[in-house]
Amino acid sequence: MKTLAELAFDNRFARLGDTFSTPIAPQPLDAPRLVVASESAMALLDLGPEQAHDPRFAEFCAGHWLAPGSEPRAMVYSGHQFGVYNPQLGDGRGLLLGEVVNAAGDYWDLHLKGAGSTPYSRMGDGRAVLRSSIREFLASEHLAALGIPSSRALAVTDSSTPVWRERRERGAMLMRLAPSHVRFGHFEFFYYTRQHDALRELLDFIVANHYPDCLEHPEPYHSFFHQVLERTAEMVGYWQAYGFCHGVMNTDNMSILGITFDFGPYAFLDDFDPQYICNHSDDTGRYSFDNQVPIAHWNLSALAQALTPFVGKDALLATLNRFLPRFREHWLGLMRGRLGLTQAHEGDRALVQDLLRLMQGSAVDFTRFFRELSESPADQALRRLREDFVDLAGFDAWSERYLNRVANEGRSAGERRAQMLAANPRYILRNYLAQQAIEAAEQGDYDPVRELHAVLSRPFDEQPGKERFAERPPEWGKHLEISCSS
Ligand code: AMP
Ligand code: MG
């Protein structure tokens, strides 16, 4: 285990030079206070949990103190926002502090979000507010605990620095971790500014450091695109299987590693609603829950466009055509797991889709349905769950098909139960839970955020005394309006 001062840095991205990022020091927040830290994220850097109690930890996470070896830089990127190319987009408020190498030899980018203005800030103040920093912290750590690929969050700090959004709020910072902060939008920036030598340099950097297998391939850049597509299809498969709505799938928020990245007005579905739009600023529903699949495909085609100087169009198109089948395979595998099915049968996709169709329009809680189905023998669970469905005849017919399918698997009830309890979380990050914790934090009480984070870090475990976090949401909690403002 290490102290902050002992972190080992190897700043590979910084060494790419000023074409890709600009050196700039963080602008510290006033009177920083630690809101919450993630012990499991700290462990990725070989930091023991006691480090969070060192006053230096809050100073580090609020830009007051730089760990020796860090070289803060703002990364330049662009991207498509709501389908429209924006040549000057980011990073206006996040600094890559450096790359930490842990004892296992893994690299983790340390990234400070809300660290003040940079040459790329445009009209922005370079700050982040407490509410959005807490939201990103909770979601990234919860997704990781669910087993869904995501960037990580080390800690959130609060401050007395005023920040103006629709109202006066307090400035906060999020210390984010990821193996890389390179996004689709980085490639777009160098493509559209016609800096193709730099584009190739970035491509070589990412391939060498994050996709080294591609170097064995006769066409490494094509193979790279193929792997990014595979990982993205897998990520979206998880989102659709677990009801995660990202909210702002602009290409600058798409990680080149295929991990869930840059959280804004996200949501986990309460009642199952494929048309759900979690972002109040998304008037047309471009990023509605069901649209995430075609949008991920669209975003991959935007990345493919940026690779056209190095990879043939036909090859890129052929790979793009693989997206939908790969997404479906992955999603269906996860949905089988959620239903307690281990074998692949012909009619499985229809079985899942028919269930989702029945859920839609009924008051069926997407998380609780699968958890309740896991907790008791299937026939008993279905009798209880039936009450939530509008189309009872439809549900009965589906139940019969499902029970037959379960019987055909020939597994013991105990085996099935154990597998399902590990696939179906008891606790999910509901918007209203985040909202309640945020309101307390805004009043200076950080305990509710810490408690919620602790519960959501073990989403599959029964946690006695924490039952209220697993309840159905109150009606008001289903209709919170979360916008892009952050
Ligand atoms: P987002 O919608 O949060 O992904 O932001 C899009 C881009 O705008 C990112 O590159 C941010 O760096 C930049 N940005 C967002 N908010 C601010 C801000 N308050 N000041 C400067 N830049 C910002
Ligand atoms: Mg972003």
Side-chain angles (χ1 to χ4, degrees), residues 3-67:
T3 63
L4 283 174
E6 291 165 347
L7 293 176
F9 283 86
D10 178 15
N11 302 327
R12 303 174 300 187
F13 192 86
R15 289 200 291 274
L16 286 176
D18 294 353
T19 307
F20 300 91
S21 61
T22 303
I24 182 159
Q27 292 155 33
L29 292 171
D30 299 327
R33 280 170 298 164
L34 182 67
V35 176
V36 61
S38 164
E39 291 184 3
S40 64
M42 291 175 75
L44 299 171
L45 305 181
D46 306 321
L47 296 172
E50 75 291 344
Q51 289 295 310
H53 304 297
D54 185 331
R56 181 159 273 182
F57 188 79
E59 288 171 18
F60 166 68
C61 293
H64 274 262
W65 177 82
L66 284 173

Side-chain angles (χ1 to χ4, degrees), residues 274-481:
Q275 267 108 49
Y276 185 70
I277 303 165
C278 62
N279 180 356
H280 191 61
S281 321
D282 180 6
D283 303 322
T284 61
R286 179 180 171 87
Y287 300 138
S288 69
F289 179 68
D290 250 12
N291 276 355
Q292 298 193 119
V293 182
I295 287 291
H297 192 205
W298 192 93
N299 288 345
L300 283 159
S301 68
L303 175 64
Q305 180 67 44
L307 299 178
T308 50
F310 313 113
V311 189
K313 286 200 173 107
D314 292 345
L316 290 167
L317 282 171
T319 299
L320 276 170
N321 285 337
R322 292 181 54 80
F323 178 76
L324 211 51
R326 294 299 289 138
F327 157 76
R328 279 198 194 124
E329 255 172 73
H330 191 70
W331 168 81
L332 186 57
L334 292 167
M335 293 309 293
R336 273 195 199 102
R338 298 205 74 177
L339 286 171
L341 306 171
T342 49
Q343 302 160 3
H345 284 212
E346 187 82 5
D348 287 352
R349 192 162 151 226
L351 187 74
V352 175
Q353 279 176 332
D354 290 347
L355 172 65
L356 296 180
R357 216 167 289 131
L358 287 161
M359 282 183 162
Q360 196 179 338
S362 296
V364 179
D365 187 88
F366 193 58
T367 302
R368 287 179 58 104
F369 177 88
F370 292 101
R371 183 70 182 194
E372 285 184 35
L373 194 60
S374 318
E375 284 170 345
S376 342
D379 52 342
Q380 264 178 42
L382 290 170
R383 268 200 295 282
R384 216 304 293 147
L385 289 164
R386 183 178 189 272
E387 292 164 21
D388 293 340
F389 285 82
V390 171
D391 177 3
L392 291 179
F395 185 71
D396 291 341
W398 184 86
S399 297
E400 202 179 312
R401 272 161 75 198
Y402 173 65
L403 288 173
N404 281 330
R405 180 70 179 75
V406 170
N408 277 340
E409 292 248 325
R411 281 197 303 166
S412 76
E415 246 179 301
R416 175 175 167 279
R417 186 179 138 92
Q419 176 263 313
M420 285 183 81
L421 290 176
N424 294 311
R426 171 134 166 85
Y427 302 97
I428 202 87
L429 174 53
R430 299 181 188 273
N431 261 342
Y432 91 97
L433 293 172
Q435 190 57 30
Q436 288 175 333
I438 286 165
E439 283 169 18
E442 287 180 336
Q443 300 302 314
D445 178 6
Y446 305 137
D447 287 344
V449 174
R450 293 175 187 175
E451 184 185 20
L452 182 58
H453 162 60
V455 170
L456 297 174
S457 303
R458 295 165 46 215
F460 298 100
D461 296 353
E462 277 308 320
Q463 300 178 46
K466 306 296 179 189
E467 291 78 10
R468 75 179 181 86
F469 294 97
E471 303 266 282
R472 277 168 185 273
E475 210 44 44
W476 65 264
K478 295 182 187 174
H479 309 291
L480 289 171
E481 288 179 356

Side-chain angles (χ1 to χ4, degrees), residues 148-187:
I148 300 178
S150 174
S151 61
R152 301 294 304 267
L154 192 73
V156 175
T157 44
D158 189 5
S159 78
S160 63
T161 306
V163 171
W164 290 93
R165 294 294 180 260
E166 287 78 9
R167 58 185 168 103
R168 183 188 156 123
E169 300 192 45
R170 291 203 300 273
M173 288 192 197
L174 175 87
M175 187 69 84
R176 180 161 67 191
L177 307 181
S180 170
H181 274 69
V182 172
R183 310 140 186 262
F184 288 13
H186 277 88
F187 293 87

Side-chain angles (χ1 to χ4, degrees), residues 183 252-253 262:
R183 310 140 186 262
D252 59 301
N253 294 336
D262 241 14

